[in-house]
Amino acid sequence: MKTLLKGASVISGEGARRADILIDGEKIAAVGVDLPTDGARVVDVSGKLLFPGFIDAHTHFDLDVCNTTTADDFETGSRAALRGGTTTVIDFACPNKGESLDYGLSLWHKKADGRTSCDYGFHMTIDDWNEGIAGELDAMFEAGISSFKMYMTYPAMMIGDGAMYEALRALKARGGICGVHCENSGVIDSLIAHKKAEGAMDPSSHPETRPDYLEAEAVSRLLRIAQAVDIPIIIVHLTNAAALAEVDAARARGQKVYVETCPQYLMLDDTVYYDADYSKAARFVCAPPIRKKADQEALWKGIANGRVQTISTDHCSFTLAQKDAGRGDFTKIPGGLPGVETRGEVVYTGGVGTGRISLGDFCRVMSENPAKLYGLYPRKGALAVGSDADIVVYDPEKGHTLRAADMVANVDYSPFEGFETTGSISQVWLRGQLCVEDGKVLVEKSGKYLERGLCTL
Ligand code: DUC
Ligand code: ZN
């Protein structure tokens, strides 16, 4: 079955060009001006922008956090992703300390296989370092896992500097790459203890105990550890100008560093934590926390001048009832925000819509760079002959208002409630199948597990 998407602008990291796209089965068969119909079904997409399906390389579906489980599992989270133009997610398989990587991988396959509506892969979390884990790395690469995650905070998951050095050495030997959550755990714990002693238990204590410079300190330390290993590194969910300056310094001494940020750090500021209504403030609790307006601008500039490579969501959703667990103790608020359903339209609006970034920049951070970074390019991240026909049809003229009530994620609020979008997603194609049209999800659970190769960015 052939389909011809006719009359749109096709976007790549280089910018826009007028072209039609011919889909044959699951793949793109041709891209060019005025392609012949040749018996294909013709879909008129004139006036629209065609992007390679968005890739969200940072989701947490069906994850146990803070004595509860995320509101979105693979079924609801991936359906929300697809509705928002995301045709590939890479979620974090997360064995507990003491469990094997193989156990973690099998568990994540059980959570995801047969239930996921977009294509998916897994990063593997390394929260322990010993001979057993080291001995499992080759099998992880054979299973298509080429990227890993380590934490510099959260006692249940963090790994010390020495262990991180050893783990990075082992990854380097295999061409692997690692994303790291950077926050200074020890000082944050002390700041929390002081707030508790003062009786300052509201959500506003959350950002005050996790300041930007303690993220920057961890970024700086991680980058020196990566320097000792001589390995490229990814800073996940980087939030602020001081942390980005540490990346600039490492790059100036010749290190390869990739930076990911998230829509909440680009679009929201820390005044959200000071609402007198507990429920309104608690819904924004995530780590690292949302920062200042000046940090937003630094991140947008970083995208425009190529210092920030990708925007993922860190989608880790909890209902307002789950967020209620922290009334009277901000440390008990489960940390994380929903965002997988809104990333495309929010980033388009805040970036392209305001002129802060170009269409090419948008395509790079949403699709092309994550595909290269995580070993999926050019199967994903490109509208090119032979690539999977994962296509977002974006209508730049038809804005709308974001409302949680209209969304399919399993969560009763959106951090972007009431946000007016510039343009909207009108269709989403996954491997040649029209899966979303005008906000309706037409096809579910047809996602495939992706075995990934090495980073090519
Ligand atoms: N931060 C959050 O807020 N939630 C999930 C994991 C993380 O790093
Ligand atoms: Zn995360």
Side-chain angles (χ1 to χ4, degrees):
M1 162 77 159
K2 291 187 182 175
T3 305
L4 184 63
L5 302 185
K6 212 166 174 43
S9 292
V10 172
I11 317 298
S12 72
E14 309 275 285
R17 65 180 171 128
R18 258 278 301 111
D20 305 333
I21 293 183
L22 181 69
I23 301 169
D24 188 357
E26 297 199 340
K27 299 284 182 186
I28 294 177
V31 182
V33 179
D34 296 332
L35 292 179
T37 306
D38 270 349
R41 161 177 66 144
V42 176
V43 179
D44 179 8
V45 285
S46 46
K48 309 287 197 299
L49 306 172
L50 305 187
F51 294 103
F54 304 144
I55 296 170
D56 191 339
H58 193 146
T59 63
H60 300 282
F61 297 152
D62 202 351
L63 179 69
D64 296 336
V65 180
C66 252
N67 302 318
T68 187
T69 305
T70 54
D72 280 303
D73 59 11
F74 276 85
E75 184 174 333
T76 64
S78 68
R79 185 166 59 207
L82 196 61
R83 185 171 180 272
T86 291
T87 48
T88 298
V89 297
I90 311 179
D91 199 85
F92 293 90
C94 199
N96 294 311
K97 279 189 200 279
E99 293 171 353
S100 68
L101 302 186
D102 182 58
Y103 175 80
L105 179 57
S106 312
L107 184 61
W108 250 256
H109 271 298
K110 258 190 220 132
K111 290 170 190 258
D113 294 351
R115 314 182 69 217
T116 303
S117 292
C118 59
D119 285 357
Y120 60 99
F122 305 126
H123 312 280
M124 179 53 64
T125 306
I126 297 177
D127 51 20
D128 230 352
W129 188 248
N130 52 47
E131 274 181 19
I133 303 266
E136 287 191 277
L137 285 184
D138 287 333
M140 290 298 115
F141 283 86
E142 278 158 29
I145 297 189
S146 51
S147 54
F148 296 78
K149 169 94 174 273
M150 291 193 266
Y151 288 85
M152 297 172 85
T153 188
Y154 300 137
M157 291 192 284
M158 67 185 275
I159 175 168
D161 294 351
M164 186 149 32
Y165 171 80
E166 293 297 341
L168 289 176
R169 269 177 64 108
L171 293 181
K172 182 188 173 184
R174 293 162 175 84
I177 193 138
C178 191
V180 181
H181 178 135
C182 298
E183 285 186 290
N184 180 310
S185 173
V187 181
I188 287 172
D189 285 348
S190 284
L191 291 174
I192 289 172
H194 286 293
K195 283 284 182 197
K196 284 186 164 179
E198 288 161 24
M201 300 303 265
D202 291 341
S204 60
S205 288
H206 176 72
E208 292 174 13
T209 54
R210 310 185 88 95
D212 59 345
Y213 52 85
L214 291 184
E215 181 184 339
E217 184 280 331
V219 168
S220 162
R221 186 159 33 101
L222 167 69
L223 292 173
R224 290 300 186 176
I225 295 168
Q227 181 182 21
V229 179
D230 188 22
I231 186 174
I233 201 92
I234 308 167
I235 316 288
V236 296
H237 50 46
L238 183 136
T239 70
N240 69 83
L244 191 53
E246 297 295 345
V247 173
D248 292 340
R251 287 177 176 153
R253 57 180 183 256
Q255 287 182 245
K256 188 108 187 143
V257 187
Y258 304 106
V259 173
E260 171 202 87
T261 191
C262 309
Q264 54 271 30
Y265 304 121
L266 290 163
M267 302 301 291
L268 303 173
D269 65 69
D270 62 357
T271 55
V272 295
Y273 296 116
Y274 292 86
D275 199 302
D277 179 341
Y278 168 85
S279 146
K280 289 205 175 124
R283 67 186 66 184
F284 294 98
V285 165
C286 58
I290 291 162
R291 306 293 187 190
K292 307 270 180 221
K293 275 203 186 315
D295 294 306
Q296 295 173 14
E297 289 314 319
L299 294 174
W300 281 118
K301 279 206 189 92
I303 294 167
N305 59 27
R307 287 149 65 227
V308 173
Q309 279 64 47
T310 182
I311 302 175
S312 304
T313 59
D314 199 8
H315 183 99
C316 185
S317 61
F318 300 98
T319 62
L320 293 175
Q322 287 177 296
K323 289 277 187 185
D324 237 30
R327 260 182 212 277
D329 182 353
F330 67 97
T331 63
K332 297 204 162 62
I333 305 171
L337 304 185
V340 79
E341 197 165 350
T342 50
R343 178 181 60 134
E345 291 177 353
V346 166
V347 175
Y348 184 94
T349 302
V352 180
T354 60
R356 284 167 165 141
I357 64 172
S358 69
L359 280 171
D361 294 332
F362 178 82
C363 181
R364 271 198 303 280
V365 294
M366 297 290 288
S367 305
E368 197 174 292
N369 285 348
K372 291 177 177 172
L373 190 51
Y374 295 113
L376 289 168
Y377 191 83
R379 176 175 175 192
K380 307 288 189 187
L383 296 179
V385 174
S387 296
D388 281 358
D390 296 350
I391 303 170
V392 176
V393 179
Y394 200 90
D395 183 345
E397 303 300 330
K398 195 174 162 199
H400 69 127
T401 307
L402 295 179
R403 302 264 176 235
D406 301 330
M407 296 180 195
V408 299
N410 186 35
V411 59
D412 49 358
Y413 79 97
S414 165
F416 302 105
E417 183 72 25
F419 185 87
E420 301 289 337
T421 68
T422 302
S424 57
I425 290 164
S426 84
Q427 292 177 344
V428 183
W429 297 72
L430 174 65
R431 282 181 281 100
Q433 223 185 348
L434 179 61
C435 289
V436 176
E437 187 156 39
D438 296 329
K440 285 196 188 59
V441 181
L442 309 174
V443 180
E444 293 186 40
K445 300 188 186 176
S446 67
K448 281 190 183 162
Y449 174 69
L450 299 167
E451 291 192 7
R452 297 181 292 110
L454 299 182
C455 170
T456 58
L457 185 60

